[in-house]
Amino acid sequence: MSGGAGLLPLQALGPIGRTLEEAGLSSALAASAESAIKFVIAFVVIWLVGRAIVRPLVKRAFDKRGLDEHVQNPLLMLTNFGIVFVAIAIAFGFADYGNFLVSMAGIAAAGALAVGLAMQNVISNFVAGVFIYTDKPFRIGDWIEWENGTYAGTVEDISLRVTRVRTFDNELLTVPNSALTDGVLKNPVDADKLRLKFVFGIGYDDDIQRATDIIVEEAERHPDIMDDPAPSVRLTELGSSDVGLQSRFWIENPSRADFVRTRGEYVTAVKGRFDEEGIDIPYPVRTLEGGLNIESGDGQSVVQPAE
């Protein structure tokens, strides 16, 4: 009986455990050491296979989709986490520790509610970040505006939680991703050209056709304004003191710097031509009507009419 009982630990142990037991370790310690060694071996093998095969395949898929480097980095980080998770799960089973996924289910069920309630905003921003990566509403270097133009700037960095935008006053805005996906976002530089508009106000006595010709001519002279589509002018406003002529023109490869510089040079040129040819850009006129009530020394009221 004693000999049979002595054989049980040997039969329960694998080759590694039996070797350790023969080296002088107790059966329990040999069994624990064997499980730990098997866990480490399985984990390292699966992790190396994932790094050598899975990660390059994922990166190749990202490259085929044309994802930018800044977009790939967080997604590759998630891929690494996935490889580690799978390696741990397989190593658990290989080391006879039980089913890792079943063990994690209870922990996940218990913590899911608490984590979900505590991290609603974080999860919302994370999901929004995923949508930004997949939908590509903007890229690093793009000039964007949101909240009806309240905020604007150039995108410097995109992560899974926040996007960093540099304003044109050189201020850095750290914007939660959900703020950029829940409302209307304007990206003026997404296409290869951008149409600009500017309203020139002229006097009611000025020649509308001559002013229109000047506006178009100065647009055609500017080297950064496109000839096709051609510049155009429309009468859009009949104000209290001026007639509004809206100029519409296009620029190529738009950026914020190009937009500001081109529009400034163009408006300056048109203003100079208006001055040369006597076309007035009138100031707003306000007419005051009524009278001035003045009390004399004897208490009598004197009304002075306005002229």
Side-chain angles (χ1 to χ4, degrees):
M1 279 303 277
S2 61
L7 291 175
L8 286 176
L10 290 174
Q11 292 172 354
L13 296 175
I16 298 175
R18 288 195 295 269
T19 301
L20 293 174
E21 188 179 42
E22 292 172 358
L25 296 179
S26 66
S27 297
L29 189 58
S32 298
E34 181 183 39
S35 296
I37 292 172
K38 289 167 67 176
F39 177 87
V40 172
I41 292 174
F43 175 82
V44 171
V45 170
I46 300 301
W47 184 77
L48 290 176
V49 170
R51 295 280 295 183
I53 298 176
V54 177
R55 194 176 189 278
L57 288 176
V58 172
K59 190 171 190 318
R60 189 177 304 170
F62 291 160
D63 291 337
K64 286 183 178 180
R65 289 200 50 158
L67 294 180
D68 294 337
E69 193 68 25
H70 72 277
V71 176
Q72 293 189 21
N73 288 336
L75 296 180
L76 289 175
M77 187 179 299
L78 290 178
T79 302
N80 292 336
F81 286 146
I83 293 172
V84 170
F85 183 85
V86 171
I88 292 175
I90 295 177
F92 251 71
F94 186 73
D96 297 325
Y97 286 151
N99 192 317
F100 175 72
L101 297 179
V102 173
S103 301
M104 288 296 294
I107 300 174
L113 180 60
V115 171
L117 293 175
M119 301 183 65
Q120 290 184 36
N121 292 334
V122 174
I123 295 173
S124 174
N125 291 324
F126 179 85
V127 173
V130 172
F131 287 149
I132 289 174
Y133 289 131
T134 56
D135 297 341
K136 299 179 183 178
F138 54 83
R139 301 173 181 268
I140 286 182
D142 283 0
W143 149 38
I144 62 173
E145 298 179 3
W146 69 99
E147 291 194 14
N148 296 323
T150 303
Y151 301 104
T154 302
V155 178
E156 284 197 350
D157 181 60
I158 305 171
S159 69
L160 286 174
R161 191 179 68 85
V162 299
T163 296
R164 292 175 177 83
V165 180
R166 180 74 62 178
T167 70
F168 305 116
D169 294 328
N170 203 33
E171 299 171 333
L172 182 63
L173 302 180
T174 300
V175 188
N177 284 332
S178 59
L180 300 177
T181 57
D182 292 345
V184 177
L185 175 78
K186 183 166 74 173
N187 185 347
V189 298
D190 180 66
D192 57 357
K193 60 184 179 181
L194 173 67
R195 189 179 73 172
L196 304 181
K197 296 182 289 186
F198 190 86
V199 177
F200 295 95
I202 65 172
Y204 274 89
D205 295 331
D206 292 321
D207 187 338
I208 294 177
Q209 185 58 51
R210 183 54 189 154
T212 299
D213 293 341
I214 291 174
I215 293 172
V216 172
E217 288 170 7
E218 291 304 320
E220 293 173 343
R221 289 181 182 178
H222 198 288
D224 294 329
I225 294 179
M226 299 176 62
D227 296 327
D228 186 17
S232 63
V233 178
R234 297 289 185 272
L235 195 159
T236 57
E237 299 176 12
L238 294 176
S240 59
S241 58
D242 65 356
V243 176
L245 299 178
Q246 185 184 79
S247 173
R248 305 178 182 184
F249 55 96
W250 295 78
I251 60 174
E252 290 182 299
N253 302 319
S255 69
R256 170 70 181 188
D258 292 338
F259 161 71
V260 174
R261 177 183 54 81
T262 301
R263 188 176 68 171
E265 292 174 352
Y266 170 60
V267 172
T268 300
V270 172
K271 174 63 168 61
R273 286 287 304 280
F274 279 2
D275 292 342
E276 291 176 3
E277 305 207 16
I279 296 178
D280 186 30
I281 299 181
Y283 293 103
V285 176
R286 297 290 183 268
T287 301
L288 300 179
E289 297 181 355
L292 182 62
N293 192 349
I294 303 176
E295 289 189 358
S296 64
D298 55 5
Q300 294 182 348
S301 177
V302 178
V303 177
Q304 178 67 37
E307 296 182 357

